[in-house]
Amino acid sequence: MMPSAITRFFSRPISMLLTLFLVGGAVFPVYSQKIIIPVYSKSNALILQVEDSKDLNMAYFGEKLSDENEYKNISRVYRPAEDYSSMLASAYTASGTRNLAEPAISVTHADGNNGLHLLYESHKQEKIDENVSLTTIVLKDPVYPFWVTLYYKAYVNEDVIEQWSSIRHKEKKSVTLGKFASANLLMRGSAYWLRQYHGDWAREMQPEESRLTHGIKVLDSKLGTRANLFQPPLFMVSLDKPATEDEGKVLFASLSWTGNFRVDLEVDHQDNLRIIAGVSNFASAYSLKPGEEFSTPAFLYTLSNSGKGLASRNLHDWARNYKLVDGKGTRLTLLNNWEATYFDFNESKLSALLKDTKKLGVDLFLLDDGWFANKYPRNDDHAGLGDWQENKQKLPNGISYLVKEADANGVKFGIWIEPEMVNPKSELYEKHPDWVIRQPGRDEHYFRNQLVLDLSNPKVQDFVFGIVDGLLSKNPELAYIKWDCNAVIYNAHSSYLQNQSHLYIEYVRGLYKVLQRIRAKYASIPMMLCSGGGGRVDYGALQYFTEYWPSDNTDPLERIFMQWEYSYFFPAIASANHVTDWGKQPVKFRTDVAMMGKLGFDIVISKLDPKDLTFCQQAVKTYDSVKDIIWQGDQYRLTNPLTDDVASVFYLDKAKSAGVIFNYLVNNRYGAGSAVPIRLKGLDPSKKYRLEEINLYPGTRSALNPGTIYTSDFLMKIGFNPAVKSGRNSVVVKITEVR
């Protein structure tokens, strides 16, 4: 509640006081009018309203009104045609009583009754700090001792809200939760357009946009682990018309959960859009004991009234400030050995690659898959996974020797692990078959020749934590971990759990417990979140990692499209991009694309053409000079690879004094290129700027005149031509304020 509203409460006559409710931990009076519970951010207001019946409805979510007194008039505008229709606006729709729409929660009580009716009991609002507030609303069934608490955490400056729920009861026996959503939003518009994503290995973040029609559209995953493989829990909804980069009302949303999810988007008979999001209830009916609390993951969202670009910048700021590990810090550039050696390496080969790491000028060498297991050596992906001892034939002196060798070469050392998985051909599988998720008496089914360990089991959690703890305890100078997850869950069954319908949920909880233990002991070590590519890119997992791996597809042309879509939801500092031999583009094009995030290399340095090597070495230095702008600046998408010949992306620092513009030819048809000038965005209207082409290939000259000074007005209304064309298919330009 805003201070002005509290002042008005106390100015009312005592005779108007009827009952009591909680605000900010203190007791305040309630009047005969409906209770209004506002959740404010910088630009928006989410207004909840307690009806005379004590039903909690979502009255409004949109641009903030200038006069907060007018929120009380909203119900007069949206007066339902029929009594039952008022339930459509429920802030958390329950099933089995008056509700006729898709529920956010369904239960079977201890006595077998399926009915649930949630009424307002109390609420409080507290200020966590100058930018963050938390609104808590308690709902209760009038017949059963059953409560649901709704949480709305608002990040004011970022215009982001995290919403989740907790469920508890005091019935005599366990209650079964059939559905248990995190959030239940109501949107009102004349029409709705959904932008969703699908994909597969090497085809992540493929966008689709369509108009939502009456009925329910479901986005979900049932894969258990690597849950984003076919569909990530990310989406946008445009209201009234499809939003563009700079115009239109659009909601960006995602569930912070690293497992099965479900999002229902229902256009009801009154043309409202109801969004219900949470953990998937597929094969996951949850038996909740008396006194036990079931907490759902956060559903996060930001609403922009000025197009998709603003929404993405809101999420970027929120992620860097509140969610990513070291989001305001730095990152390590690296050289990875995977595409140079695959499984075929030894100490001498790796020692040579350590020297190449130093020659290239990056910070760290990353040793990928294949360094472990002895009885069943990890010489391909059929064996050894789960046996995390150094392979004595490949590494007779162990990881410690390589860490010291890296230090002697003036670089850091990192390592790949896949601790949640096991090959059937392994000592771990032989010793602990009860640790493996599999159906008894049925044939095993393998994904990449492996099975998933049962992280619902505390002993397995200890084992997985011990893998990381053992490496870091023995090698305190180990500087980086790449955490992979390549399999999904087949034959879902736990020999540890008594209730098999808890497995999908308890697996993710077990994973988070392990990651929490790692971060409690090793708070600052950089960790990459990989899952056969982008199979796990969500903020539930990313809160424990510094970066994610977008895709195993590192073809730079493909990556332009993928990174474009990922960038709507995740800041550049979180995107691990490597220069590899995928694709047909020259090394400059490949490097320029990888620079739009956290730069890495996965190429054979010793086989590079001398000019290519010189370029890569210089590119690392160039990147070091601009990486803070890319990582911490505001991102503007200028021209779209889906519709234009040239893809252009602009990163501008917060002071609007320096920026970097990446331009790529994405259409190789005859005559394609930047015949039309590219207009910039976000510049300070009072400043003048100079443009300079950077990251030039040795022996080439820029087509730009670095002596020309432009007003911001010119650059944003007329633009500039980077002269992108065949033979000059990648152009990087630095823009600097002229003082």
Side-chain angles (χ1 to χ4, degrees):
M1 182 173 294
M2 303 299 287
S4 57
I6 296 173
T7 302
R8 286 193 295 275
F9 265 102
F10 284 110
S11 67
R12 301 294 183 96
I14 297 297
S15 59
M16 296 181 66
L17 306 184
L18 296 177
T19 185
L20 297 174
F21 69 99
L22 290 174
V23 177
V27 176
F28 287 101
V30 171
Y31 305 97
S32 56
Q33 75 237 37
K34 295 179 173 64
I35 300 171
I36 301 294
I37 307 172
V39 179
Y40 292 123
S41 61
K42 180 175 63 177
S43 305
N44 300 316
L46 189 156
I47 304 300
L48 300 158
Q49 181 172 279
V50 181
E51 306 295 335
D52 293 336
S53 62
K54 292 189 178 182
D55 290 313
L56 179 71
N57 285 347
M58 186 171 172
Y60 176 77
F61 181 35
E63 197 166 3
K64 192 186 295 183
L65 300 181
S66 57
D67 184 355
E68 66 182 47
N69 283 313
E70 293 197 293
Y71 292 123
K72 67 179 181 293
N73 297 326
I74 291 173
S75 60
R76 298 171 188 168
V77 177
Y78 296 114
R79 187 178 299 279
E82 301 289 346
D83 178 62
Y84 69 81
S85 298
S86 65
M87 297 302 294
L88 295 173
S90 174
Y92 198 73
T93 311
S95 68
T97 51
R98 288 178 58 209
N99 172 49
L100 301 176
E102 180 67 24
I105 182 171
S106 62
V107 306
T108 300
H109 293 284
D111 63 3
N113 193 312
N114 289 325
L116 183 65
H117 190 191
L118 296 173
L119 299 179
Y120 169 85
E121 185 172 82
S122 66
H123 80 277
K124 65 178 180 179
Q125 294 180 297
E126 53 190 313
K127 198 171 184 179
I128 295 175
D129 59 35
E130 289 304 310
N131 188 54
V132 184
S133 67
L134 180 64
T135 298
T136 305
I137 306 172
V138 180
L139 307 177
K140 183 185 180 300
D141 190 297
V143 175
Y144 291 90
F146 189 100
W147 293 265
V148 173
T149 304
L150 305 181
Y151 299 89
Y152 300 82
K153 191 173 186 179
Y155 301 82
V156 177
N157 290 330
E158 295 80 10
D159 268 327
V160 169
I161 295 176
E162 284 186 296
Q163 184 177 341
W164 68 97
S165 60
S166 66
I167 305 165
R168 61 187 175 88
H169 72 91
K170 291 184 179 179
E171 299 186 29
K172 293 181 179 180
K173 295 181 181 179
S174 293
V175 166
T176 300
L177 305 180
K179 195 172 183 183
F180 29 81
S182 298
N184 187 166
L185 289 182
L186 178 74
M187 311 289 290
R188 291 187 171 102
S190 59
Y192 312 96
W193 275 263
L194 171 68
R195 188 178 184 87
Q196 65 184 95
Y197 297 91
H198 69 278
D200 200 344
W201 179 82
R203 295 188 66 252
E204 289 86 347
M205 290 300 283
Q206 304 296 310
E208 286 182 313
E209 189 158 14
S210 59
R211 182 169 178 170
L212 289 170
T213 58
H214 291 82
I216 300 179
K217 170 80 173 184
V218 178
L219 310 178
D220 74 337
S221 173
K222 302 179 180 71
L223 304 182
T225 59
R226 202 179 173 186
N228 300 359
L229 178 61
F230 303 139
Q231 185 168 73
L234 312 163
F235 64 94
M236 310 176 194
V237 173
S238 299
L239 281 74
D240 303 324
K241 62 181 181 180
T244 65
E245 200 64 31
D246 304 303
E247 294 181 345
K249 183 180 290 188
V250 60
L251 178 83
F252 281 26
S254 179
L255 187 72
S256 299
W257 181 250
T258 317
N260 294 347
F261 63 88
R262 173 171 169 166
V263 179
D264 301 313
L265 300 109
E266 178 180 18
V267 180
D268 66 31
H269 66 284
Q270 291 188 338
D271 301 327
N272 303 308
L273 174 62
R274 303 174 68 254
I275 302 174
I276 299 174
V279 175
S280 174
N281 56 345
F282 165 73
S284 295
Y286 198 89
S287 180
L288 188 67
K289 298 175 183 177
E292 181 185 0
E293 186 170 3
F294 183 95
S295 293
T296 68
F299 178 60
L300 68 97
Y301 47 92
T302 183
L303 179 66
S304 166
N305 300 291
S306 300
K308 295 185 285 188
L310 177 61
S312 72
R313 290 186 289 277
N314 287 342
L315 277 183
H316 295 175
D317 285 341
W318 171 81
R320 288 186 295 242
N321 291 335
Y322 296 101
K323 194 56 60 171
L324 294 172
V325 175
D326 198 25
K328 301 294 287 184
T330 188
R331 295 292 185 270
L332 298 169
T333 54
L334 59 82
L335 175 66
N336 193 3
N337 73 300
W338 179 245
E339 295 196 16
T341 66
Y342 295 99
F343 294 99
D344 183 19
F345 57 82
N346 54 32
E347 273 185 4
S348 61
K349 281 187 179 181
L350 296 180
S351 294
L353 289 173
L354 288 170
K355 292 179 173 61
D356 287 341
T357 306
K358 178 65 174 179
K359 182 191 295 185
L360 182 60
V362 294
D363 302 314
L364 176 137
F365 173 76
L366 172 61
L367 175 59
D368 214 289
D369 196 357
W371 58 268
F372 51 90
N374 290 290
K375 181 178 179 180
Y376 303 106
R378 183 70 169 174
N379 294 324
D380 56 39
D381 63 12
H382 289 79
L385 197 59
D387 300 342
W388 297 100
Q389 308 84 27
E390 296 100 326
N391 181 274
K392 294 177 182 178
Q393 185 173 357
K394 293 180 182 179
L395 306 177
N397 295 298
I399 296 297
S400 298
Y401 169 79
L402 294 172
V403 173
K404 292 175 183 176
E405 277 288 288
D407 184 64
N409 281 279
V411 296
K412 299 180 184 295
F413 188 87
I415 199 163
W416 176 98
I417 56 173
E418 191 176 2
E420 302 164 66
M421 305 292 164
V422 63
N423 286 129
K425 194 175 181 180
S426 68
E427 291 185 84
L428 179 65
Y429 181 91
E430 292 175 345
K431 293 177 181 177
H432 296 287
D434 56 314
W435 285 9
V436 179
I437 294 177
R438 59 178 187 166
Q439 286 278 355
R442 297 188 188 275
D443 292 340
E444 292 180 344
H445 297 284
Y446 308 128
F447 200 107
R448 201 187 181 231
N449 308 303
Q450 62 197 57
L451 295 166
V452 182
L453 293 176
D454 182 7
L455 275 176
S456 71
N457 186 335
K459 292 182 179 179
V460 177
Q461 295 171 25
D462 290 341
F463 171 78
V464 173
F465 171 76
I467 295 166
V468 179
D469 189 42
L471 283 167
L472 293 174
S473 298
K474 296 174 186 175
N475 307 284
E477 300 304 314
L478 193 66
Y480 186 90
I481 289 176
K482 177 181 177 182
W483 183 301
D484 214 338
C485 170
N486 282 295
V488 301
I489 292 179
Y490 288 136
N491 285 348
H493 180 86
S494 166
S495 62
Y496 171 77
L497 292 174
Q498 292 183 343
N499 190 331
Q500 295 304 311
S501 67
H502 289 196
L503 175 58
Y504 287 122
I505 294 171
E506 295 301 335
Y507 183 91
V508 180
R509 287 177 171 174
L511 172 64
Y512 289 168
K513 286 177 182 178
V514 172
L515 292 171
Q516 288 162 6
R517 289 173 67 184
I518 291 170
R519 281 304 175 199
K521 188 170 182 179
Y522 305 101
S524 60
I525 186 168
M527 296 206 309
M528 180 206 289
L529 174 63
C530 180
S531 190
R536 262 190 173 170
V537 186
D538 67 85
Y539 280 113
L542 272 174
Q543 64 186 314
Y544 305 107
F545 290 82
T546 50
E547 57 220 60
Y548 68 91
W549 182 238
S551 177
D552 283 346
N553 184 344
T554 52
D555 181 316
L557 187 60
E558 295 286 343
R559 272 297 188 100
I560 288 171
F561 292 84
M562 287 184 190
Q563 290 170 202
W564 180 279
E565 299 299 337
Y566 272 119
S567 76
Y568 281 118
F569 298 91
F570 306 101
I573 192 172
S575 180
N577 308 328
H578 291 181
V579 181
T580 74
D581 289 328
W582 279 52
K584 300 178 181 179
Q585 290 76 21
V587 70
K588 171 175 164 50
F589 190 102
R590 287 179 271 148
T591 305
D592 289 350
V593 172
M595 286 171 68
M596 293 194 302
K598 201 223 73 171
L599 177 65
F601 291 82
D602 200 340
I603 53 178
V604 184
I605 302 299
S606 61
K607 294 183 179 179
L608 283 177
D609 174 273
K611 277 191 175 182
D612 284 354
L613 176 58
T614 299
F615 168 77
C616 290
Q617 291 169 328
Q618 189 58 47
V620 172
K621 295 177 182 178
T622 300
Y623 178 74
D624 284 341
S625 72
V626 298
K627 63 187 180 184
D628 286 342
I629 299 172
I630 298 167
W631 293 346
Q632 303 297 338
D634 289 326
Q635 180 177 351
Y636 296 88
R637 297 166 200 84
L638 306 179
T639 54
N640 191 330
L642 293 172
T643 56
D644 300 302
D645 290 345
V646 174
S648 185
V649 180
F650 178 33
Y651 300 92
L652 179 65
D653 71 3
K654 293 292 186 181
K656 300 182 184 295
S657 60
V660 186
I661 312 159
F662 293 91
N663 309 275
Y664 309 100
L665 185 66
V666 294
N667 181 358
N668 288 318
R669 294 190 66 183
Y670 177 78
S674 57
V676 178
I678 292 172
R679 292 191 293 270
L680 302 188
K681 302 174 185 178
L683 299 177
D684 187 327
S686 67
K687 293 180 178 179
K688 295 181 179 180
Y689 297 92
R690 178 181 287 111
L691 303 182
E692 175 192 4
E693 185 172 353
I694 60 174
N695 220 37
L696 288 161
Y697 191 80
T700 62
R701 297 178 61 183
S702 173
L704 304 183
N705 181 359
T708 305
I709 296 175
Y710 302 90
T711 64
S712 60
D713 190 52
F714 183 93
L715 290 172
M716 291 195 290
K717 291 178 179 177
I718 304 297
F720 81 104
N721 193 334
V724 177
K725 58 185 179 181
S726 179
R728 185 179 153 81
N729 58 3
S730 177
V731 177
V732 183
V733 177
K734 184 174 182 181
I735 178 171
T736 309
E737 176 189 358
V738 177
R739 299 183 184 276

